[in-house]
Amino acid sequence: MQLCPGPTSAATTTATAVPAPWHQQQLQPRRAAAGSKKVHPAALAVDERPAGCGKDQLPAPAVVVAPALNTQQGEKTAKEARGRPPRLAIPPPVACAPGVDPFGAAADRETELAMELEVQGEGFCLASRRGVRHAMEDGYGVITDHAIEGGSQLAFYGVYDGHGGRAAVDFVADKLGKNVVAALAAASTASRQQSGLPSSSPTPTVEEEDETEQVVAAIRAAYLTTDSEFLSQGVRGGACAATALVKDGDLYVANVGDCRAVLGSGGGVATALTSDHTAGREDGRRRIESSGGYVSCGSGGVWRVQDCLAVSRAFGDASMKPWVTCEPEVSRRRLTPDCRFLVVASDGHWNKLSCQEAVDAVSAAASGPCKELVALARSRGSRDDITVMVVDLQRFLQL
C-alpha cells in the first residue's frame, strides 16, 4: 500500500551545550588594523580582494613584512583563538552491563517488530515478514470448520494490509470474519422463517442462483458493517483485504484494495479471482470523479486518489470518504477436483511476483510454500510488509 508523505522508553541523559554546525557559524573576515603591516592577499576575505580578482583567483603576491618573532607568534595565537570554533563536547558512551542495550525498550521493540511470523494451521499455512516501515501493518484472520444454524459448514480466510498505522488492520482482522459468519447466520434464519420452518430444521432448498445472491449479499453487508464500526471509533488509518469463504462446496472470494487471491489448479494454471482496486482503474476513476473527487498521477507514475491514496477501495480512511469506498467485489466458484489450492497475499508479495509465478512456486515446494514465497518476494527487492497464505482446497470437496 502506498501513501503520500503521512510507547517509547524514557531515558535520563545529561544535557550538553553543542555549538551550531560549522556551516551555520558566521565567520568574520580578517581585517588589518589601521597602521599595521601588509599581510598576504590569501588571508583577505573575498570581498576585500582587489578589483578584477574573481572568487576563484588570487591577486599577485605582495611583499610581506615580518615583525619580530615573538610579536608575530603572539598575534597569530590571538587570531586563531578568535577565529577557531570551540571544541565539541562529546559525552562518553553509556556504561551498561554485558548484554544490556543502552537504548532499552525501544531497541527491544524494533527487534520484535522485525521478526518473521510463520503459522501452520488446519488446512492452511501462513508466513509474514515486516518491511522497512516502523511497524508491521499486515494482518490475517481465519475461522475454520464453523457450523451455522441449518447445518451449513463454512471456513473463512483473510489477509489484510493496513496503512496509516495498525489500528485499522487490527480491527478488521478481529471483526470481519465474525461479521461474515453473523451475516450468514442471519440470512439462514430469515430463509427458514420465510418458509415457516422451525429454527432447528435444515435450511430449505432454494435455487442455486438465489442462494448465491444471499451469500454474496451477506459478505457485502459484513464488509460495510465492519467499515462502519471502525469509522465510528474516530481512529485514523485504513486497510485493504482479500478474503475467501468456503460454504457447502462453494468458494466465495471478496476484496477491497490491492490484496489478491489466486487459484492454483491441478494442471498448474493460475487464475486470479480478484482484481486490484488501484486508483488507476478506469471504473474507479469514473466513480470517484462523479462523486466530486479526483485521481492524479504523480511523478513516480503512481495514480492516487486526492493526491494521497493509491487504492480506490479500503476499510477506514475517514478523510477520503466517499471517494474511497468499502464496497467489495465478490465472486463465486464451485469447487472441483481440479481446484488444488488458493494463494491469498498482500501487495508486498504481488508487486514482485506474478500470479503464475506464485502458483508455480507453491506447486514445486515440498514444504513451507508460504515462507518460500515471502523469501522470493524479498529477494526481488520488496521493501513492503509481506504476508502470504496458502489454503488447501481439496479438503472441502463434496464426496
Side-chain angles (χ1 to χ4, degrees), residues 286-327:
R286 290 196 302 267
R287 176 184 59 79
I288 292 169
E289 291 178 348
S290 65
S291 60
Y294 67 91
V295 177
S296 59
C297 184
S299 58
V302 179
W303 290 87
R304 298 184 184 276
V305 181
Q306 305 295 105
D307 291 328
C308 182
L309 198 60
V311 295
S312 59
R313 303 192 192 193
F315 290 95
D317 295 312
S319 63
M320 305 294 290
K321 303 296 185 185
W323 310 298
V324 176
T325 178
C326 194
E327 179 79 23

Side-chain angles (χ1 to χ4, degrees), residues 61-370:
V63 177
V64 179
V65 180
L69 181 61
N70 56 350
T71 306
Q72 180 187 26
Q73 185 68 26
E75 292 181 355
K76 180 179 180 182
T77 303
K79 290 181 179 180
E80 288 181 349
R82 289 194 300 270
R84 179 186 302 160
R87 294 180 178 273
L88 294 177
I90 302 176
V94 180
C96 294
V100 177
D101 194 298
F103 297 100
D108 295 339
R109 185 177 65 256
E110 291 300 321
T111 302
E112 180 181 355
L113 292 174
M115 292 177 60
E116 297 182 18
L117 173 67
E118 190 172 7
V119 178
Q120 187 70 43
E122 185 177 355
F124 78 97
C125 66
L126 177 135
S128 185
R129 181 169 180 175
R130 174 177 172 262
V132 298
R133 294 188 176 126
H134 67 284
M136 176 64 169
E137 294 181 340
D138 280 4
Y140 76 99
V142 175
I143 300 175
T144 58
D145 295 333
H146 185 87
I148 61 176
E149 292 183 4
S152 293
Q153 297 289 325
L154 59 87
F156 176 87
Y157 307 90
V159 169
Y160 313 111
D161 182 3
H163 49 266
R166 283 206 59 91
V169 72
D170 286 340
F171 187 90
V172 174
D174 178 57
K175 294 290 187 178
L176 182 56
K178 299 174 183 177
N179 287 340
V180 168
V181 171
L184 289 171
S188 177
T189 300
S191 295
R192 287 193 302 274
Q193 291 177 348
Q194 290 177 0
S195 302
L197 298 174
S199 59
S200 59
S201 63
T203 302
T205 302
V206 295
E207 295 293 335
E208 182 177 344
E209 183 177 351
D210 294 339
E211 183 178 4
T212 299
E213 290 179 356
Q214 289 180 1
V215 176
V216 170
I219 294 173
R220 284 177 176 163
Y223 267 70
L224 295 175
T225 297
T226 304
D227 185 48
S228 178
E229 291 174 344
F230 176 73
L231 292 174
S232 67
Q233 296 187 341
V235 183
R236 66 184 295 271
C240 301
T243 62
L245 172 73
V246 183
K247 179 180 181 294
D248 299 330
D250 289 329
L251 173 64
Y252 296 87
V253 174
N255 77 302
V256 289
D258 51 10
C259 291
R260 191 183 307 171
V262 176
L263 176 68
S265 67
V269 177
T271 303
L273 302 182
T274 60
S275 178
D276 297 349
H277 297 133
T278 60
R281 266 181 54 168
E282 182 65 22
D283 57 342
R285 183 184 63 82
R286 290 196 302 267
R287 176 184 59 79
I288 292 169
E289 291 178 348
S290 65
S291 60
Y294 67 91
V295 177
S296 59
C297 184
S299 58
V302 179
W303 290 87
R304 298 184 184 276
V305 181
Q306 305 295 105
D307 291 328
C308 182
L309 198 60
V311 295
S312 59
R313 303 192 192 193
F315 290 95
D317 295 312
S319 63
M320 305 294 290
K321 303 296 185 185
W323 310 298
V324 176
T325 178
C326 194
E327 179 79 23
E329 286 187 310
V330 188
S331 63
R332 168 194 170 272
R333 177 180 293 264
R334 185 68 179 177
L335 293 179
T336 66
D338 193 50
C339 300
R340 294 303 178 87
F341 56 85
L342 188 69
V343 182
V344 188
S346 60
D347 69 324
H349 169 269
W350 297 118
N351 286 341
K352 297 299 179 181
L353 278 82
S354 68
C355 298
Q356 189 61 56
E357 287 176 325
V359 169
D360 291 343
V362 174
S363 300
S367 62
C370 293

